[in-house]
Amino acid sequence: MEVKNKGFDYDLGVIGAGPAGLSAAIYAARGGLSVVCFEREVHGGQIINSPEVENYPALGKVSGADFANALYEQATGFGAEVVYEEILSAELTGEVKLLRTAAREYRVRAVVLAGGVTRRKLGCPGEERLLGRGVSYCATCDGAFFAGRTVAVVGGGNTAVEDALYLAARCEKVYLIHRRQGFRASEAELAKLRANPRVEFLLDAQVAEIRGENQVESILLRSTAGAPDRVIPVAAVFVAVGLIPNNEMFRGQLPLTAQGYLTADENCRTALPRVYAAGDTREKALRQLVTAAADGALAGSSAVADLAGEATL
Ligand code: NAP
C-alpha cells in the first residue's frame, strides 16, 4: 500500500467501485492523486446484472459485465487500487477522513461516496422464507433456473421491464405485476414488452403473499382497484420494486433527503469539505450509467481541484 502524504494512507478514498466510483478513480488518478476504491461485493456495481446496455453514448450495444471490466481495467491502469473490503463506518467531518473496514482503518484526505443502492424488498409473507427458492432480486443471475416455466416479475420501473424482457426469452410465460396502471419505465422498453406474446400484464395488483412449501408455487394477488383476490401459480417471483440508497452510515454527518439520498452541488460536492457524492446514491432526476460516469468525473475532478487548493471546478 502506498503512503504518499504525512499521516494519510491515500489522497482519495472512494466508497464503491461501480460506474460512479471507478469513474471518480479514473479522473482523480489521472489528476495525480493516490486513490483507493472500496468494494464489498464485485467491481462494476449493479450494471453487471444488465445483459445488454444500449443507451451509453457511442458504445452501441455492450454487456454490463464487459462495461464493468473495461472500467476496472481503465481505473487500475491509471494507478487506482481496488480493495475488496466493506466500509463499516466513516468519519467525514474532520481534516483527516477515517474509513473503517473489518480489517483496518484507512486515513484519507478526501472521500467520494459512491456506494450506490440496495434493492427494496416487497415485505410480504413468504418473501424471506422462499428467498433463493424461487424468490429472486436478480433476473439475469437466476432466470436460467426457470427456463420453460411460468414466472412473475413485480414492479413498474425500468428494472422490472428489463427483467421481464430477459425472462420472456427463456420462460414459457411471464406475468408483469404492477400496483397501478402507469409505469416509470421508458416507453421504448415497455413497447417491446407489450409486443411480446409470452408476457401478461397484471396491473392494479400487489403481491400479498408468496406461497409454497419448499419452492415458490404461487402468489396471492390483491387488487389495488377493489377486485377480488387471485391466486396465480408461478415457479418464481422476481422482485424489482426499486432501490434504497446505502447512506444510513452517513446520517448525522451529511443531510439526507426524505428517501435517504445524499445531496450534492452540480460538481458533486456535499456540505462537508472534501467529501463528494456520485452516482445512484445522490439525489438527482436520472439514474443511468452515463449520469453515474458523469458524476464520477465531476467528483474526481473536484477532489483534484480541492486538494490542490484551487477552486477551479
Ligand atoms: P424504480 O424506477 O424506482 O421503480 C420501482 C417500481 O416498483 C415502481 O414502479 C414502484 O411503483 C414499484 N414499487 C415500489 N415499492 C413497491 C412495493 N412495495 N410493492 C409493489 N411495487 C412497488 O426502480 P428501478 O426499476 O429499480 O429503477 C431504478 C433506477 O434505475 C431508475 O432511475 C431507472 O430508470 C434506472 N434503471 C435504468 C435502466 C436503463 O436505463 N437501462 C435499467 C434499470 C434501471 P410506483 O411506480 O407505483 O411507485
Side-chain angles (χ1 to χ4, degrees):
M1 186 187 64
E2 188 174 352
V3 179
K4 194 174 175 185
N5 297 291
K6 271 188 299 182
F8 296 100
D9 299 316
Y10 294 87
D11 293 324
L12 181 66
V14 180
I15 302 181
L22 289 173
S23 298
I26 289 170
Y27 275 74
R30 285 194 79 229
L33 304 187
S34 58
V35 180
V36 60
C37 292
F38 298 96
E39 176 54 56
R40 66 178 169 177
E41 292 172 359
V42 291
H43 61 257
Q46 292 187 88
I47 198 62
I48 60 165
N49 297 320
S50 282
E52 194 170 82
V53 177
E54 62 173 24
N55 58 1
Y56 196 90
L59 277 193
K61 289 186 189 207
V62 60
S63 85
D66 287 350
F67 185 94
N69 286 330
L71 202 49
Y72 171 86
E73 294 299 335
Q74 200 174 357
T76 53
F78 284 121
E81 290 178 43
V82 178
V83 169
Y84 295 90
E85 292 174 23
E86 179 174 5
I87 299 297
L88 299 175
S89 71
E91 281 179 34
L92 303 173
T93 51
E95 185 67 19
V96 184
K97 317 292 181 193
L98 302 175
L99 304 177
R100 294 193 189 93
T101 72
R104 55 163 291 194
E105 179 179 272
Y106 293 82
R107 296 163 65 85
V108 296
R109 300 168 72 199
V111 180
V112 173
L113 307 176
V117 290
T118 301
R119 295 219 174 168
R120 180 179 290 122
K121 295 193 164 48
L122 279 172
C124 68
E127 182 182 28
E128 202 82 42
R129 185 174 58 84
L130 294 167
L131 178 64
R133 291 185 284 165
V135 174
S136 169
Y137 300 86
C138 179
T140 53
C141 313
D142 302 326
F145 298 122
F146 302 96
R149 313 282 302 277
T150 294
V151 303
V153 175
V154 192
N158 278 316
T159 305
V161 169
E162 279 190 3
D163 285 359
L165 277 171
Y166 179 84
L167 292 164
R170 290 154 182 82
C171 301
E172 185 183 47
K173 181 166 182 118
V174 178
Y175 291 108
L176 182 71
I177 298 164
H178 181 36
R179 62 185 178 184
R180 60 190 176 100
Q181 293 279 331
F183 282 82
R184 291 174 195 266
S186 72
E187 251 324 303
E189 297 298 299
L190 263 176
K192 288 188 207 166
L193 206 58
R194 287 197 178 102
N196 193 312
R198 291 189 183 173
V199 177
E200 182 175 338
F201 286 69
L202 298 174
L203 303 182
D204 292 331
Q206 287 265 36
V207 177
E209 186 179 353
I210 303 174
R211 294 176 172 175
E213 201 147 313
N214 294 313
Q215 286 285 328
V216 171
E217 291 165 20
S218 65
I219 46 177
L220 175 66
L221 271 197
R222 185 142 299 153
S223 169
T224 56
D229 286 356
R230 291 173 67 183
V231 176
I232 313 267
V234 292
V237 183
F238 291 88
V239 180
V241 295
L243 310 166
I244 300 170
N246 298 322
N247 291 331
E248 278 313 303
M249 191 196 306
F250 314 123
R251 195 177 284 282
Q253 297 186 74
L254 281 167
L256 300 179
T257 67
Q259 285 74 38
Y261 289 99
L262 291 162
T263 53
D265 71 9
E266 61 179 349
N267 294 314
C268 292
R269 290 186 175 92
T270 69
L272 288 173
R274 288 171 286 106
V275 178
Y276 315 88
D280 284 358
T281 200
R282 109 179 161 86
E283 177 63 21
K284 56 180 172 174
L286 186 64
R287 291 195 171 80
Q288 298 274 294
L289 258 192
V290 67
T291 56
D295 277 4
L298 286 163
S301 302
S302 294
V304 171
D306 292 346
L307 292 186
E310 302 161 5
T312 51
L313 249 190

